[in-house]
Amino acid sequence: MKLIFATNNSHKVEEIKAFVGNKFEILSLKEADIDIEIPEPFDTLEENASVKSRTIYNLTGTSCFSEDTGLEVDALNGEPGVKSARYAGEGKSFQQNIEKLLQILKGKHQRKARFRAAISLIIEDKETLFEGICDGKIIEEPRGEQGFGYDPVFVPDGESRSFAEMSIEEKSKFNHRTKAAAKLVAFLQTLKTTPPN
Ligand code: IMP
């Protein structure tokens, strides 16, 4: 089965492809020759994921999925959440988002946080949603060079290294996105035996 992954984020594509392996053929927007920026205007990860997969499905008629992630920090009542990408303002860098987060959490002992990912899959016009959660904490200083986004300041439960100190394979043992993708793969495998009507 061929699926378009409706994202322009090459890190996300790399993570999902490494996880899915050759079970299914995954095409990034770039590989599908689609040049589009889809806005994420909604207040929930699920709605933002849905609008991205729906846009690509309507454009191509090909099965596709999209994903939206938020970093939910307990001491900030779940913020930045759905606004994680633009926490420091529209068009700001990963670095600036991290700086703002560390500044706001400075001196706070409660540093629990979680990444939550919502995946929206559309096959034959029918949408299914999957969720993946990774619990952990925000550390005081960025560590590591790998990954992207908030990876340098996030340490998952049961680890001492930040996501940015792990290889893709190591990160995928904990990672919110791969947990949601595991549910998606399990769902697709049921379709292989029972195609949708
Ligand atoms: P979005 O899903 O691309 O909208 O991501 C929202 C924000 O969370 C962006 O700032 C991303 O960089 C960040 N983000 C998404 N996934 C991850 C991850 O796996 N690690 C670190 N940051 C992430």
Side-chain angles (χ1 to χ4, degrees), residues 119-134:
I119 288 183
S120 158
L121 168 74
I122 300 185
I123 294 182
E124 295 186 6
D125 209 32
K126 185 175 178 304
E127 181 183 18
T128 312
L129 288 165
F130 306 93
E131 184 187 61
I133 291 176
C134 175

Side-chain angles (χ1 to χ4, degrees), residues 153-164:
V153 292
F154 185 85
V155 171
D157 285 350
E159 253 294 334
S160 53
R161 291 170 304 164
S162 77
F163 268 167

Side-chain angles (χ1 to χ4, degrees), residues 37-87:
E37 267 309 324
I38 307 166
E40 300 175 355
F42 297 108
D43 291 334
T44 66
L45 300 173
E46 286 75 9
E47 285 171 297
N48 283 334
S50 286
V51 74
K52 290 187 275 188
S53 55
R54 179 54 63 190
T55 303
I56 298 307
Y57 185 79
N58 288 348
L59 204 64
T60 62
T62 302
S63 300
C64 66
F65 67 98
S66 74
E67 177 267 4
D68 200 34
T69 286
L71 176 65
E72 302 173 344
V73 179
D74 283 6
L76 305 177
N77 299 319
E79 288 209 339
V82 72
K83 300 189 185 78
S84 297
R86 36 188 197 283
Y87 189 41

